[in-house]
Amino acid sequence: MIPIEWPLVGTSLEIFRNRKRVHDYVTDVLRDNDGTFLFKGPCFSNMDLFLTCDPTNAHYMLSKNFKNYPKGHDYSIIFDVLGEGIFNVDDKAWEDQRKTALFLLNHANFQMFVQDINWKKVDSGLIPFLDSVSEKRSEVDLQQVFQRFTFDSTCILVLGHDPATLTVDFPHVSYEKAFGDAEEALLYRHMLPEFVWKSQRWLRIGREKKLYDATEAIDNFILHCVTLKNDELQRMAKVGENMDDHHDLVTSYILGLDENTSVFDKSLRDQLLNLLFAGRDTVSAALTWLFWLFATNPFEEYKIHKEVATLLNKKGDGNWKVLDKEELKSMVYLHGAVCEALRLYPPVPLQHKAPNESDVLPSGHRLDKRTKSVLCFYSMGRMESVWGKDCLDFKPERWITDEGRIKYEPSYKFSAFNAGPRSCLGKDMTFVQMKIVTAAIIFHYKVQLVEGQSICPSDSVILHMMNGLKVRVTRRCAT
């Protein structure tokens, strides 16, 4: 497949025509063009897009010649909602934020906090909600359930505040929905000339209006949480109360501020917002696709249930919710299933790069410094040249050695967590969260798809399902 290049508008019209299936359309094009293709934008629009899913190019851009491929000025314009947070900045600003985040996320107390919070949210939010759905024999959108679960747990970890959006009554929460609205608008900024979406932003119409409203709702929520936490810390300081048990990230950031920096400084807002985006959406998207893969591959689901049940039954009645990190790691087949879901449906399906200087890639393509580059991770997981003829199959054993151990693939090939210096800091946390949720659900419930629904990726910068995942859940008998 070679997209038609139209006069004046180039091949951008083909992308716009396929915007509702943009990830699969790009995959089809890359599959037929050796993993690399240059989409020509409208004349004088500076919208040429160099797309590649070639692992050698990814390795070169993300690692070998990392300094020549920053996020770039255009990226920060498109993702202006993220401000000066870690995902949006380069050079020293990025290095400083990454060092701080790496120190906080890798601290033993925080890692234990992650496990504890996720098990508690499973016990107090997820299980009661699914029990209610099971008793009523009603349908539920599992994607929304996962979004609320990860939103609640991420808010506790990042902001020290539990918004309790996952409850039996499932309340409408505008600031939680705002994250999804923002992500949809951001993808369209990749497909529209800058002057078009900037005009919409100025007029506050279309998706730019939704993005404006979403940003306002998110900012107000973060401000509310920071205010609550700051008041709490000031009260504790006055009475000399010990703060050692406060492991949420906002507490660490506030206590680390110098005297001249206010807790309401925009830089703190930007750092917290970036962490919220990373925690809430990536894990919920990955969980949604994982349970769809379980439902459409019942034999694989059976093997994973057997592995989970074998371990959890050893814990004894009432102890299923206290698995530690090592016990989670011991479930090799579940680990393989999570990796397969992330390979086929990476939560961040593409990454924007902008070369500082013109370059020649390992594939032989010359890249002008004015050309925007996009690494297509979703497409990479669907290339026979990368993963073999069974690349579209869900095969957890792909990740297990003959000795029954976990098999590791290079990050530039398995790109769900990025690669090189910008590799994801939350990789281990993602596996812990996904395994906790999966183990709890698959041990207690049988999840069945509602017939007749259309399953496809959404037109968003995060790989959600376009129409959600409608399921019915029933309680399993004692195993």
Side-chain angles (χ1 to χ4, degrees), residues 32 59 66 111 125 136 177 179 189 209 220 227 262 277 283 310 327 336 339 362 368 389 392 431 451:
D32 293 341
H59 185 41
F66 169 75
Q111 293 184 3
K136 295 175 183 176
K177 183 179 180 297
F179 283 82
R189 286 185 173 185
K209 172 65 164 61
N220 288 336
T227 301
S262 167
F277 262 108
V283 176
T310 298
E327 289 172 315
C339 289
D368 187 89
K389 291 185 178 181
L392 299 181
F431 275 105
E451 295 182 1

Side-chain angles (χ1 to χ4, degrees), residues 292-320:
W292 176 72
L293 289 166
F294 286 161
T296 53
N297 294 271
F299 184 59
E300 301 298 338
E301 188 263 355
Y302 165 77
K303 288 191 284 188
I304 292 163
H305 172 258
K306 184 177 179 181
E307 180 183 58
V308 171
T310 298
L311 179 59
L312 291 181
N313 281 328
K314 290 179 181 178
K315 303 291 291 186
D317 186 39
N319 291 321
W320 59 267

Side-chain angles (χ1 to χ4, degrees), residues 80 103 112 160 194 243 261 334 377 435 440:
D80 56 4
F103 172 77
M112 289 297 297
E194 188 174 321
M243 301 181 189
T261 304
L334 175 56
F377 299 145
K435 287 179 179 179

Side-chain angles (χ1 to χ4, degrees), residues 367-473:
L367 200 57
D368 187 89
K369 66 179 181 180
R370 293 183 298 274
T371 303
K372 298 181 180 70
S373 308
V374 178
L375 294 170
C376 303
F377 299 145
Y378 177 88
S379 302
M380 192 183 294
R382 288 165 163 68
M383 293 293 137
E384 288 188 12
S385 59
V386 180
W387 292 100
K389 291 185 178 181
D390 61 354
C391 62
L392 299 181
D393 296 339
F394 176 62
K395 295 178 63 176
E397 61 267 23
R398 194 189 306 271
W399 299 88
I400 303 172
T401 67
D402 293 339
E403 294 77 27
R405 299 190 182 94
I406 295 168
K407 182 190 296 182
Y408 293 93
E409 295 284 359
S411 55
Y412 57 85
K413 176 182 176 182
F414 176 50
S415 48
F417 297 99
N418 210 343
R422 277 193 180 263
S423 58
C424 178
L425 294 173
K427 179 178 178 179
D428 290 343
M429 188 164 63
T430 296
F431 275 105
V432 167
Q433 289 180 299
M434 290 189 67
K435 287 179 179 179
I436 286 173
V437 174
T438 304
I441 293 179
I442 212 165
F443 181 67
H444 290 98
Y445 306 98
K446 178 70 177 177
V447 178
Q448 295 177 305
L449 294 180
V450 173
E451 295 182 1
Q453 58 184 313
S454 175
I455 302 296
C456 60
S458 66
D459 47 342
S460 169
V461 291
I462 301 295
L463 202 71
H464 300 298
M465 284 188 183
M466 184 173 290
N467 303 306
L469 183 64
K470 305 296 191 303
V471 302
R472 291 186 178 89
V473 295

Side-chain angles (χ1 to χ4, degrees), residues 36-38 48-52 361 365 367 371-374:
T36 302
F37 190 81
L38 177 64
D48 288 357
L49 285 177
F50 178 83
L51 273 62
T52 183
L361 298 176
H365 295 84
L367 200 57
T371 303
K372 298 181 180 70
S373 308
V374 178

Side-chain angles (χ1 to χ4, degrees), residues 251-365:
T251 294
S252 299
Y253 279 113
I254 290 175
L255 295 179
L257 292 174
D258 59 51
E259 294 180 356
N260 298 320
T261 304
S262 167
V263 294
F264 306 112
D265 188 86
K266 183 178 180 297
S267 63
L268 180 59
R269 171 267 185 199
D270 293 345
Q271 293 178 68
L272 296 174
L273 176 58
N274 280 243
L275 294 170
L276 284 174
F277 262 108
R280 179 247 188 201
D281 291 294
T282 54
V283 176
S284 65
L287 282 168
T288 304
W289 288 109
L290 177 62
F291 274 85
W292 176 72
L293 289 166
F294 286 161
T296 53
N297 294 271
F299 184 59
E300 301 298 338
E301 188 263 355
Y302 165 77
K303 288 191 284 188
I304 292 163
H305 172 258
K306 184 177 179 181
E307 180 183 58
V308 171
T310 298
L311 179 59
L312 291 181
N313 281 328
K314 290 179 181 178
K315 303 291 291 186
D317 186 39
N319 291 321
W320 59 267
K321 54 192 175 186
V322 291
L323 292 178
D324 60 29
K325 190 174 182 179
E326 291 305 312
E327 289 172 315
L328 291 170
K329 191 181 293 186
S330 72
M331 292 187 283
V332 175
Y333 211 81
L334 175 56
H335 187 95
V338 171
C339 289
E340 274 291 85
L342 293 168
R343 177 184 72 85
L344 288 166
Y345 299 99
V348 182
L350 52 85
Q351 184 177 148
H352 185 284
K353 289 291 182 183
N356 283 327
E357 300 295 336
S358 299
D359 200 0
V360 177
L361 298 176
S363 61
H365 295 84

